[in-house]
Amino acid sequence: RGDDVQAWFDAVIEADQKVEPRDWMPDDYRKGLVRQIAQHAHSEIIGMQPEGNWISRAPTLKRKAILLAKVQDEAGHGLYLYAAAETLGVTREELVDALIEGRQKYSSIFNYPTLTWADVGAIGWLVDGAAIVNQVPLCRCSYGPYARAMIRICKEESFHQRQGYEILHTLSHGTPEQRAMAQDSLDRWWYPSLAMFGPPDTQSTHSAKSMGWKIKRHSNDELRQRFVDMCVPQAKVLGLTIPDPDLRWNDERGHHDFTEPDYAELMRVVAGDGPCNAERMAHRRRAHDEGAWVREAAAEYAEKAASRKKA
Ligand code: ACO
């Protein structure tokens, strides 16, 4: 029977069909998905902090309303993703505890500070732009609930990206000080955004397996290249300079050549030693503790509602 189910699973993957929660799946496939989906969910939740930092200081009421809605969208993404992970047999509590106790990761990018309003623009353009490049292929991931969650998330991320780009466009066509602020944010966010795609393919531990299972559809380096190629014309329209003197079109490859991010820095940040890791985790732990009464009240309410139904 073991061979039968494995053969069935292999055929589903081969035929580009979806694996659903009640289907048989190899343990490693399940574990790999929980790891990636949980990290992804944690990233959405921690990712609320750098931008949340600017809600009370947005330059106009309209910008404030937009940013508020955007940060709320990120909370929603976290919740869809925790729900997708739950279909694999883990609970949201277990995953949240794993984040809080530092046993699971979240994206490196959210350990960098948002120093100016232009950083809100750069996050939308570059960070959400990188997220889209990475996540659109995940809409075709072999695990049904993850793939379906990604469809809505990607639609919202495209709106986020445009709002960030529009902020930078306004600044880069504004006063010389505003332009300088936009350039400075691009200078600081460029390489951390390239690093979001993960280590180079030669050092990526999970890519081969994930690609075999059609969880990942493209390698880290392929997506990084796609992102660079996408950003170059967009930077031109902004009139800003990507901080890479070696960035140039390579006719033979049909892609831009570019300087790789500092992967040693990526590994340091992932290991906890980035500019804001301690602050991000402290904030999340505090928010979790302060929300304990809400969780208790909700559980109590659910229990009462269930016993009323029985009666
Ligand atoms: N930040 C933190 N950790 C990272 C990053 C990063 N930018 N890139 C790689 N890693 C970690 C991996 O999680 C893995 O560690 P682990 O074994 O403890 O899980 C290790 O570095 C080696 O990397 P890979 O083998 O290449 O890992 P993987 O195949 O999972 O690829 C990637 C990494 C591309 C991030 C993949 O997990 C993915 O596509 N995830 C879904 C998208 C996502 O999580 N985006 C979050 C940011 S987007 C946003 O929230 C706006």
Side-chain angles (χ1 to χ4, degrees), residues 35-36 39-40 43-44 105-108 110 128 131 134-135 138 146 157 195-199 204-207 216 220 266 270:
R35 178 192 65 83
Q36 177 167 328
Q39 281 182 16
H40 193 167
S43 304
E44 301 282 358
K105 299 189 164 94
Y106 60 89
S107 180
S108 52
F110 300 119
D128 295 328
N134 166 266
Q135 291 172 25
L138 292 175
Y146 191 26
E157 293 292 0
M196 278 176 74
F197 293 91
S204 165
T205 31
H206 303 291
S207 280
K216 269 169 108 159
N220 298 356
L266 169 66
V270 170

Side-chain angles (χ1 to χ4, degrees), residues 5 20 39 46 48 81 92 101 103 105-106 111-112 123-124 157 161 184 212 217 231 243 254 268 299 306:
V5 284
E20 295 296 340
Q39 281 182 16
I46 298 279
M48 294 165 75
L81 287 164
R92 186 156 133 202
E101 291 162 16
R103 286 182 280 114
K105 299 189 164 94
Y106 60 89
N111 293 307
Y112 291 85
I123 290 188
E157 293 292 0
Q161 193 213 13
D184 170 63
R217 295 283 181 159
C231 287
R268 272 199 311 277

Side-chain angles (χ1 to χ4, degrees), residues 24-41:
W24 182 89
M25 59 188 90
D27 277 350
D28 282 358
Y29 177 82
R30 187 185 296 275
K31 274 193 206 131
L33 275 170
V34 169
R35 178 192 65 83
Q36 177 167 328
I37 301 174
Q39 281 182 16
H40 193 167

Side-chain angles (χ1 to χ4, degrees), residues 47-285:
M48 294 165 75
Q49 293 184 39
E51 290 176 289
N53 180 33
W54 280 92
I55 291 173
S56 62
R57 292 177 288 161
T60 67
L61 182 60
K62 190 170 154 196
R63 297 247 184 240
K64 182 175 174 140
I66 294 170
L67 183 59
L68 197 58
K70 192 213 155 181
V71 173
Q72 281 179 344
D73 285 351
E74 306 297 354
H77 297 176
L79 299 187
Y80 311 148
L81 287 164
Y82 284 128
E86 282 187 308
T87 64
L88 290 158
V90 288
T91 65
R92 186 156 133 202
E93 289 74 16
E94 285 174 71
L95 299 181
V96 170
D97 285 348
L99 169 67
I100 290 199
E101 291 162 16
R103 286 182 280 114
Q104 277 175 350
K105 299 189 164 94
Y106 60 89
S107 180
S108 52
I109 193 74
F110 300 119
N111 293 307
Y112 291 85
T114 39
L115 303 179
T116 69
W117 170 252
D119 289 1
V120 175
I123 290 188
W125 174 37
L126 297 174
V127 176
D128 295 328
I132 293 167
V133 169
N134 166 266
Q135 291 172 25
V136 164
L138 292 175
C139 298
R140 292 187 297 116
C141 144
S142 58
Y143 188 58
Y146 191 26
R148 289 188 288 273
M150 291 319 300
I151 293 172
R152 178 156 173 192
I153 292 178
C154 285
K155 283 192 178 143
E156 293 180 352
E157 293 292 0
S158 334
F159 165 71
H160 296 170
Q161 193 213 13
R162 276 176 245 175
Q163 69 84 38
Y165 192 75
E166 198 268 337
I167 289 176
L168 281 186
H169 194 273
T170 305
L171 291 174
S172 63
H173 292 81
T175 63
E177 288 80 6
Q178 287 173 323
R179 213 190 121 64
M181 198 161 89
Q183 181 63 52
D184 170 63
S185 71
L186 171 55
D187 292 348
R188 283 181 291 107
W189 288 91
W190 177 250
Y191 287 104
S193 300
L194 292 190
M196 278 176 74
F197 293 91
D201 294 350
T202 48
Q203 290 165 37
S204 165
T205 31
H206 303 291
S207 280
K209 260 195 170 172
S210 286
M211 287 173 75
W213 284 325
K214 296 186 180 167
I215 295 174
K216 269 169 108 159
R217 295 283 181 159
H218 307 280
S219 76
N220 298 356
D221 287 331
E222 273 169 12
L223 293 176
R224 195 172 359 253
Q225 178 74 63
R226 195 177 283 186
F227 176 68
V228 172
D229 291 341
M230 182 187 92
C231 287
V232 170
Q234 294 177 346
K236 240 181 227 150
V237 174
L238 292 176
L240 298 178
T241 309
I242 292 176
D244 179 357
D246 295 326
L247 181 66
R248 61 180 59 87
W249 177 253
N250 180 328
D251 227 359
E252 237 165 74
R253 293 201 309 120
H255 290 290
H256 293 88
D257 290 338
F258 62 97
T259 307
E260 299 281 333
D262 178 352
Y263 293 113
E265 174 179 325
L266 169 66
M267 288 307 146
R268 272 199 311 277
V269 174
V270 170
D273 194 17
C276 301
N277 296 59
E279 183 186 327
R280 300 290 184 242
M281 286 306 290
H283 184 94
R284 181 90 292 280
R285 287 193 188 107

